[in-house]
Amino acid sequence: MIKRSRLLTFAWCLPNLFVILFLAGCVNSNSTFVSRNKVVLAEQNPNVHFEQEVMIVRISQVLLVGRMSNEERASLHFERGVLYDSLGLWALARYDFTQSLALQPKMAAVYNYLGLYLLLDEDYDGALEAFNAVLDLDPTYEYTFLNRGLNFYYVGRNNLAEEDFIKFYRADKTDPYRVLWLYLNELKYKPNDARQNLANRAGGLSKDYWGTYIVQYYLGELTLADLFRKAQQFADPASPQYAEILTETYFYLAKQKLNAGQTEEAETLFKLAVANQVYNFVEYRFAVLELAKLKRAQAE
C-alpha cells in the first residue's frame, strides 16, 4: 500500500485562497471553520491520487493490447471511468462510460453515472431518462433514487423528489445524508413539518457517519464551534478523511445560508466545499452545480 501524503489543516498554497479569504469576511466571523483571518481547508498533494493513476495506466494498457470479450472490455472501460470520475476528470469518465454502454447496453451503473453528468449539465430531461433506465434494468439500484430525487429537487418537483428521497431513506435509516436531503427538500415541499421530521429521524442515525453531527447542528444541538471540535475528533486533520468531512460540512452550511437568502455567504461556502477537491462526493458535485446556478442568477 502506497503511503498517502499527509493532509494539513490549512492549505495556503491554493491559487485562489486570497479570494476565498476576502469572501470569508462576508461569513459570520464567529464561525470556527471560516473567519476573517483563516479558513480550514485540506492540503491537496498530487501523490494522494497515485494509486488511481497507476490503475488507469494498467487498464489503458490492457485495453490497448488485450484480447477479450465485449463484456470484459465494457467492464474495463467502466472501471477506468470510475477512476477518472474520482479524479475529477469527468469528460474522460464520460467517454469511458459511453464506450462501456456501447459494448454492454444493459449496464445499470453506467446509466446512473451518465444520468448524474446530465443532471450536473442541467439537462434534467436527459438525466431523468437515464435514471429511469437504471430502474428499468435494476429496480433495486438504491443510489438512483437519490440521484433521481435530486433531479426532481432541482427542477422544483418537490413532491416527486420526496417520494424518491423517502425510498432512499428507508433503505438505510442510519445514514444522515439521506435524512439531510429529505430535510432540504421538505423545507420547500412542506416547510411546517421539515424540522420536526428531521428531529424524529435524527434519533436513528449512526455516529459512524460525520453527517450525524451536521444533523445535530441543523437542529441547534451543536454550535459551529462544537462542530469544529467534533471534526477534529472524528478525523485526524492530517488524514485524507478530513478533506471529505470538510467538503460535506461546507456544502451543508452553504445550503443553510442559501435557504436563509444569504447568497453571498452561501457562494463562499460552496467554493470552500469545492476547494477540498473530493470530486466523487455528492456534496462536491452539487456545490459545482449550485455555484453555476448562482453565477447565472447574478448575471440576469
Side-chain angles (χ1 to χ4, degrees):
M1 189 78 171
I2 304 295
K3 185 176 180 181
R4 306 180 92 180
S5 298
R6 291 169 63 84
L7 296 175
L8 304 177
T9 304
F10 299 105
W12 303 109
C13 59
L14 290 174
N16 60 347
L17 185 58
F18 291 109
V19 176
I20 292 174
L21 284 171
F22 174 75
L23 291 172
C26 300
V27 181
N28 185 347
S29 61
N30 294 322
S31 165
T32 311
F33 285 99
V34 184
S35 74
R36 222 171 258 280
N37 299 315
K38 68 178 181 180
V39 292
V40 182
L41 292 175
E43 183 179 340
Q44 302 304 318
N45 189 306
N47 290 330
V48 169
H49 303 298
F50 179 79
E51 293 177 24
Q52 292 103 310
E53 291 168 1
V54 169
M55 284 300 300
I56 287 171
V57 171
R58 290 175 177 171
I59 292 172
S60 299
Q61 289 172 338
V62 173
L63 284 169
L64 186 62
V65 301
R67 298 183 64 180
M68 65 195 80
S69 67
N70 282 354
E71 183 177 355
E72 291 169 330
R73 188 171 290 277
S75 179
L76 286 174
H77 275 293
F78 176 74
E79 289 177 25
R80 190 172 67 175
V82 172
L83 289 166
Y84 279 139
D85 180 80
S86 72
L87 296 174
L89 301 172
W90 292 349
L92 293 174
R94 203 167 186 165
Y95 167 80
D96 266 332
F97 292 139
T98 303
Q99 292 296 110
S100 185
L101 199 61
L103 294 163
Q104 284 289 111
K106 293 188 177 182
M107 292 182 70
V110 174
Y111 281 108
N112 188 58
Y113 270 103
L114 291 175
L116 188 54
Y117 292 141
L118 289 167
L119 170 51
L120 295 174
D121 286 343
E122 298 185 68
D123 181 357
Y124 299 111
D125 291 339
L128 181 57
E129 288 181 14
F131 296 139
N132 287 340
V134 176
L135 295 174
D136 286 341
L137 291 168
D138 183 359
T140 66
Y141 202 100
E142 194 174 303
Y143 274 84
T144 297
F145 289 113
L146 169 65
N147 292 336
R148 191 174 68 176
L150 287 166
N151 194 74
F152 288 135
Y153 171 83
Y154 278 103
V155 295
R157 301 174 71 181
N158 299 99
N159 59 325
L160 296 177
E162 179 83 357
E163 292 177 12
D164 277 343
F165 287 148
I166 284 286
K167 290 175 185 176
F168 187 57
Y169 164 69
R170 286 174 178 166
D172 183 359
K173 294 183 179 181
T174 68
D175 182 347
Y177 305 102
R178 303 171 192 237
V179 168
L180 282 165
W181 277 110
L182 259 173
Y183 170 70
L184 291 171
N185 186 64
E186 287 177 350
L187 283 176
K188 299 179 181 297
Y189 178 51
K190 40 186 177 183
N192 294 334
D193 300 329
R195 184 179 177 82
Q196 186 57 54
N197 287 344
L198 179 65
N200 293 342
R201 293 168 183 142
L205 300 180
S206 169
K207 292 189 177 179
D208 290 338
Y209 296 103
W210 168 246
T212 297
Y213 299 105
I214 298 176
V215 171
Q216 291 175 358
Y217 167 74
Y218 267 25
L219 289 170
E221 296 171 4
L222 295 176
T223 65
L224 275 175
D226 295 332
L227 198 62
F228 178 71
R229 285 193 292 270
K230 291 281 187 185
Q232 293 184 309
Q233 294 165 6
F234 191 86
D236 184 345
S239 74
Q241 190 184 13
Y242 200 58
E244 298 172 354
I245 67 174
L246 288 178
T247 300
E248 294 168 351
T249 302
Y250 284 130
F251 178 81
Y252 293 109
L253 291 178
K255 289 295 288 182
Q256 184 185 50
K257 293 290 186 181
L258 192 62
N259 287 329
Q262 299 171 340
T263 56
E264 289 186 4
E265 293 91 332
E267 182 180 7
T268 299
L269 290 162
F270 283 132
K271 286 179 178 178
L272 291 171
V274 169
N276 286 285
Q277 298 180 28
V278 187
Y279 302 109
N280 58 346
F281 268 39
V282 66
E283 292 82 8
Y284 176 93
R285 299 184 199 274
F286 286 91
V288 172
L289 176 61
E290 294 279 7
L291 285 169
K293 291 169 70 69
L294 285 172
K295 183 177 181 180
R296 190 166 55 250
Q298 291 166 2
E300 290 176 354

